[in-house]
Structure formats: C-alpha cells, structure tokens
C-alpha cells in the first residue's frame, strides 16, 4: 500500500524560483497595499488616522528589526527551514490581520508580518543565489524584478480597488491561498542548506544592531511628517544613531560577529552594496517627492499624482529583458555606468520648470527612470555577489538588504528635509523646494556612477564543464533534501 504514496518530484531550482517569487510578491505588495485603506481602517475602528498609521509603522519597524539576524538564523538552522517558517508566520499573520476585531490586534499582527518579511527577503535571495551559480544569475533578472518593482507599484491601486469594492480585510486575505500554496511547494521542492555558524551567537551585536535599525527606521519614517524636534522622533533618531555606531565598532572587533562587515572590504561586493544604498536613496527619494511636485505644478489630486509614477514599474519590467540580453555582452561596469548617468539626467529633467506641467512628459520620463535605473539596479544585484562564496551568502544577503533599506529611508528623509517636511495643500503651492529635492536625487544617482566604476568589466563566465542539474555547492544530489551541514 505504501508504494501507492508517491512523493511529488519537483526540480529544486524550479521550486526555488516559484516559492521565492510568490513569497516576495506577498511581501512587496504588503509594503504599499495598506496605504489607501488607512482612512477606512481608522473609521471602522473609530480611531483617528494618526492611530491607524501605526499599522504601517509596526510593519516597517519590525521588518528592519528582522534583517540583522536573518543571515545567522539561515546559517544556523537552515535556509529552507527559516524561509518556510517565516513564510508560514507571514501567512498566518495575514489571516489574523484580515480577522482583526480591533486596531491593537491588527497592529500586533502587522508587526509579525513585518518581522517575518525581514527574514524572507535575505533568506529567500540566499536560497535563490545558492541554487544558481554566478554565470547563471543573469537569468534571474525576470524573477527579481516582479516582486521588487511591479508588486510595490501595484499595491496602492490594488489596495484602493479592494477597499472600495470589497473591504480592507481582503488586503490581507489575498495572501492566505498564495502563501499556503508556496509553503506546500517549498516543503517538497526546496533543498536544505545548513552552513553552520562559526561560533556562539553574537548577543551583544544583536542587542546593538537590532534596536538601532528599528529606532532609525521609525525616526526616518516619521521625522519628515511629524517634525524632527518631536520628542519621540528626536530620541529615536539620537539613540538609534548611537547604537548603530556602537554596533559597527563591535562588529569589526568581534571574532564571530552577527553581521560580517568585513565582507564590505571585497571590491565588488562592497561597491555593489554601496551602490544599492545610493540608488535606493535616489529612487525612493524621487518617488516620494515627485508626486508632491506634480500636485504643486498641476494642482493634481493625490490619486493622479500616485498614478503618474506608475509607468516607472512598466519600465522596470522591461529592464529585466535588457539585463538578460546585454549583461552577458557588455559586462557589469559598461552596462551600469551609462545607465546611472542617463538616469541622473532623466531625474534632473523632471526638475526643469515646465516639464512637470505636461502629464505625458511625466509618464515618459517615469518610464525611462524605470528602464535605465532598473537596468543598473538589476545588474548590481546580480553581479555584486560574484565573489561571495556559498558559506558567506546568507550574511552577505542580510547586509545587502540592510544597506538598501537604510538607503531608501535616508533618501526620503533627505528630500523631506529639503522641502521642509511640508505637504502640498493647494495648487498654488511653491514648487521650488520640490524641484530642488529632485535635483538632490539626481545628484545621488550620478554619484552612484562613480561607485559603479569599481564593478568588474566582464560578466561571470561558466566553468569549463558545467552540469546544469548539478546540486549547488555544499549539497549532495543523493540526499535530495537532507541538510548539507558545513562548518
């Protein structure tokens, strides 16, 4: 009778791609889909909008808190186990969010979502990059672009549509069937990899880095709108900065640090990480400030201003095709440097008086931003880990995501500082400060072109004898799912 029980046979690399894409789409959507529903949520629970904003605060702060420990957990307990555990927690928390009877329950469940999401991204990318050797990662451009570009862009319109025609509860219920299917596929299809930590858990590093990132994320997220001098914001910013400095000093001295900052000394990886931070600052900054400029110049509604940046996501989708075809021919440096320079020029064009007044010019330029900047970002993300071995991949992914997350938050904060933290309230608002902020984002992207000169000239090449179906380093084909323990 036992012979009738047939275990599904799924190619591990196909399973990795499918499970990663499903999980990251859920995570990407949830970073933006709730924003249009905050007014409705506040009204349903009889609470002010400021209280409902904690729904997003809890998610973002918890996400930042999960990043520092992601690499260590994956190495210690296995990337498959941690990834599927985080995905399970994310899915269950989504169901609780949808069923939440009050705002407090929703905020707590949202925090669990964020914490799980902070583990999903670096551990998921570790699974993906361990499954594909460097010379094959160029194929991943189409995979990486969907959750990182399309899903966050679809979040606001989809959130508004579901809230208006169904209810805000469905913003979270949509994750449940997708998450469940991805978990089942991952159980049967993913391979386990346990790298094994080099020593004891870095408790001191954990208690320094984790609150530092959480406090800084809170301050950078609310300083622009609530004012940097507000006690809660000022204390979080100062304490977070002090803890971050202490964390860095500890990490560089510790024998077995929570975050291997020494990886940043690698020419390619260090440059790619810095580039990730700078480009995230420029992109998130312009996506924050340009809708405000659009309203100041045209007197457009908030919805029209939000839709004006949507062509950027379309350009990003096309960028995946560009990288797939041009990266093997041109190499990382020759593809990234011109793309960043063109992107900086497009950013600057948005700040020229008269451009923002033309809706079709705006749409075209936003499409170009997605195309050229997306080409650079994808190239950096794919080629930046060429020199990172399987043993350090988990740590490298966690560190890369931390730098990119803080870079995006700093870009928004810098633009908010230039415009004075204000918001456009009428068509006659002075667009001058908003144009200046757009120039700042252009300068950030242009600075990235200098860093890109440190990227390698040549794309990764396959080894002399390449077996596409061979298991990744550290795994044994015969075990098929049994953990490969190293260290």
């Amino acid at each position: 009778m036992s012979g009738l029980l047939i275990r599904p046979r799924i190619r591990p690399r196909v399973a990795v791609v499918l499970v990663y894409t499903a999980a990251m789409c859920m995570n990407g959507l949830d970073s933006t889909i709730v924003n249009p529903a905050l007014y409705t949520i506040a009204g349903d629970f009889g609470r002010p909008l400021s209280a409902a904003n904690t729904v997003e605060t809890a998610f973002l702060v918890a996400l930042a808190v999960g990043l520092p420990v992601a690499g260590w957990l994956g190495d210690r307990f296995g990337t498959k186990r941690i990834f599927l555990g985080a995905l399970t927690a994310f899915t269950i928390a989504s169901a609780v969010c949808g069923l939440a009877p009050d705002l407090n329950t929703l905020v707590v469940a949202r925090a669990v979502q964020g914490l799980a999401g902070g583990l999903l991204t670096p551990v998921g990318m570790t699974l993906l990059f361990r499954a594909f050797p460097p010379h094959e990662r160029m194929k991943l451009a189409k995979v990486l672009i969907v959750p990182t570009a399309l899903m966050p862009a679809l979040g606001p319109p989809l959130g508004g549509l579901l809230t208006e025609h169904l209810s805000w509860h469905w913003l979270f219920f949509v994750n449940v069937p997708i998450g469940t299917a991805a978990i089942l596929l991952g159980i049967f299809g993913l391979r386990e990899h346990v790298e094994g930590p080099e020593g004891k858990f870095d408790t001191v590093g954990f208690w320094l880095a984790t609150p530092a990132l959480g406090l800084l994320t809170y301050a950078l997220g609310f300083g622009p709108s609530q004012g940097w001098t507000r006690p809660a914001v000022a204390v979080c910013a100062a304490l977070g900065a002090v803890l971050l400095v202490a964390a860095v000093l500890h990490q560089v001295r510790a024998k077995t640090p929570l975050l291997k900052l020494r990886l940043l000394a690698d020419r390619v990886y260090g440059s790619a990480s810095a580039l990730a931070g700078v480009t995230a600052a420029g992109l998130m900054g312009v996506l924050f400030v340009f809708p405000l400029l659009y309203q100041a110049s045209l007197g457009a509604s908030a919805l029209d201003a939000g839709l004006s940046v949507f062509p950027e996501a379309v350009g990003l989708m096309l960028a995946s095709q560009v990288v797939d075809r041009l990266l093997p021919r041109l190499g990382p440096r020759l593809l990234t440097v011109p793309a960043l320079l063109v992107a900086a020029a497009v950013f600057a064009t948005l700040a020229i008086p008269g451009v923002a007044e033309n809706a079709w010019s705006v749409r075209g330029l936003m499409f170009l931003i997605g195309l050229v900047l997306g080409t650079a970002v994808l190239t950096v993300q794919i080629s930046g880990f060429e020199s990172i071995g399987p043993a350090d991949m988990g740590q490298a992914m966690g560190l890369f995501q931390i730098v990119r997350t803080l870079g995006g938050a700093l870009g928004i904060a810098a633009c908010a500082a230039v415009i004075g933290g204000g918001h456009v309230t009428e068509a006659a608002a002075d667009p001058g400060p908003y144009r200046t902020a757009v120039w700042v984002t252009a300068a950030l992207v242009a600075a990235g072109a200098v860093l890109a000169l440190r990227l390698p000239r040549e794309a990764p090449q396959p080894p002399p004898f390449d077996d596409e179906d061979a298991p990744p380093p550290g795994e044994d084909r015969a075990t098929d799912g049994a953990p490969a323990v190293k260290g």
Side-chain angles (χ1 to χ4, degrees):
M1 187 68 179
S2 60
L4 298 177
L5 298 177
I6 301 175
R7 180 184 174 184
R9 178 64 179 173
I10 305 168
R11 293 185 64 186
R13 295 208 290 187
V14 174
V16 167
V17 169
L18 292 176
V19 175
Y20 171 85
T21 302
M24 292 302 101
C25 283
M26 291 165 58
N27 203 18
L29 268 179
D30 273 47
S31 66
T32 59
I33 196 172
V34 179
N35 291 339
L38 290 178
Y39 281 101
T40 304
I41 292 172
D44 282 0
F45 291 136
R47 303 290 294 275
L49 181 61
S50 58
N53 280 333
T54 57
V55 174
E56 281 303 277
T57 309
F59 181 85
L60 295 174
V61 172
L63 188 146
V65 166
L67 287 173
V69 76
W72 187 90
L73 286 175
D75 288 345
R76 173 64 178 83
F77 298 104
T79 47
K80 174 181 176 178
R81 185 176 290 111
I82 295 301
F83 183 79
L84 293 182
L87 182 56
T88 301
F90 192 98
T91 304
I92 294 173
S94 297
V96 175
C97 284
L99 297 170
D102 52 57
L103 185 61
N104 291 337
T105 303
L106 179 59
V107 169
V108 172
R110 191 76 169 135
V112 175
Q113 267 193 321
L115 185 61
L119 300 178
L120 279 175
T121 302
V123 178
M125 288 192 66
T126 301
L127 278 169
L128 196 65
F129 275 42
R130 278 177 175 160
F132 291 83
H135 68 280
E136 293 187 349
R137 290 174 190 162
M138 290 170 281
K139 302 175 183 177
L140 300 177
K142 301 181 184 68
V143 176
L144 294 172
I145 201 66
V146 174
T148 58
L150 185 60
M151 291 300 108
L154 283 178
L158 181 59
L161 184 67
L162 290 174
T163 302
E164 182 176 348
H165 295 285
L166 293 174
S167 74
W168 62 263
H169 302 274
W170 283 95
L171 306 181
F172 306 104
F173 287 149
V174 294
N175 290 332
V176 176
I178 299 173
T180 302
I183 292 166
L184 293 175
L185 178 59
I187 290 173
F188 293 109
L190 295 182
R191 284 173 170 159
E192 184 60 283
H193 184 108
V194 181
E195 190 62 41
E198 297 176 356
K200 293 182 179 180
F201 179 71
D202 182 11
T203 305
V204 174
F206 174 79
W207 287 113
L208 290 174
T210 300
L213 289 177
L215 291 169
L216 286 174
T217 301
Y218 178 89
L220 291 171
F222 286 90
S225 60
Q226 298 182 2
W228 294 101
T229 57
R230 183 175 179 177
V233 174
V235 170
C236 287
L239 185 57
V242 170
L243 289 174
L244 183 63
V245 172
V248 171
L249 293 176
H250 169 76
Q251 300 297 317
V252 297
R253 296 173 181 174
K255 292 183 178 179
T256 56
L258 179 68
L259 298 170
K260 294 183 179 179
L261 298 183
R262 62 174 177 79
L263 294 174
L264 295 174
D266 180 87
R267 177 187 176 93
V268 176
Y269 173 75
S271 300
S273 298
L275 260 171
V278 171
T279 53
L283 179 60
M284 297 304 293
V286 80
L287 293 180
F288 164 76
V289 75
F290 185 77
L292 301 179
L293 171 61
Y294 196 62
Q295 293 174 78
S297 299
L298 293 179
S301 68
L303 177 60
D304 290 338
L307 291 175
S308 70
V309 302
F310 183 76
E312 180 259 349
V314 180
L316 276 166
M317 294 297 293
L318 184 59
S320 66
Q321 304 291 332
V322 173
V323 172
D324 187 35
R325 287 168 171 76
L326 294 186
L327 181 55
R329 302 175 184 177
L330 301 180
R333 187 187 306 177
L334 191 56
L335 186 56
T336 303
V337 173
L340 289 173
L341 292 176
V342 173
V346 176
F347 276 41
T349 303
L350 287 170
I352 296 175
V355 173
E357 286 79 357
N358 188 305
W360 282 105
S361 295
V362 168
R363 296 183 184 113
L365 290 172
M366 280 295 166
F367 172 80
L368 284 177
I369 287 176
L371 178 61
V372 293
L373 188 59
T375 296
V377 169
L378 278 174
T379 301
V380 170
Q381 194 166 357
I382 291 171
S383 61
F385 295 84
E386 176 183 348
S387 56
I388 302 296
D392 288 328
M393 188 62 71
Q395 286 279 348
M397 283 296 177
L399 193 56
F400 187 84
Q401 295 299 329
I402 289 172
V403 173
R404 186 163 64 177
T405 299
L406 286 180
L410 285 170
I412 293 174
C415 289
V418 171
I419 64 178
H423 297 280
V424 176
T425 56
E426 56 184 18
D430 179 19
Y434 303 98
R435 290 197 172 99
T436 302
V438 175
W439 278 106
V440 170
T441 64
L444 287 169
V445 175
V450 178
L451 293 170
L453 293 172
R454 295 175 60 85
L455 295 177
R457 289 179 179 272
E458 303 294 332
Q461 299 298 317
F465 300 99
D466 180 34
D467 179 8
E468 183 178 346
D469 294 321
E475 293 185 4
D476 184 355
R477 186 195 303 270
T479 61
D480 191 26
V485 182
K486 297 180 65 178

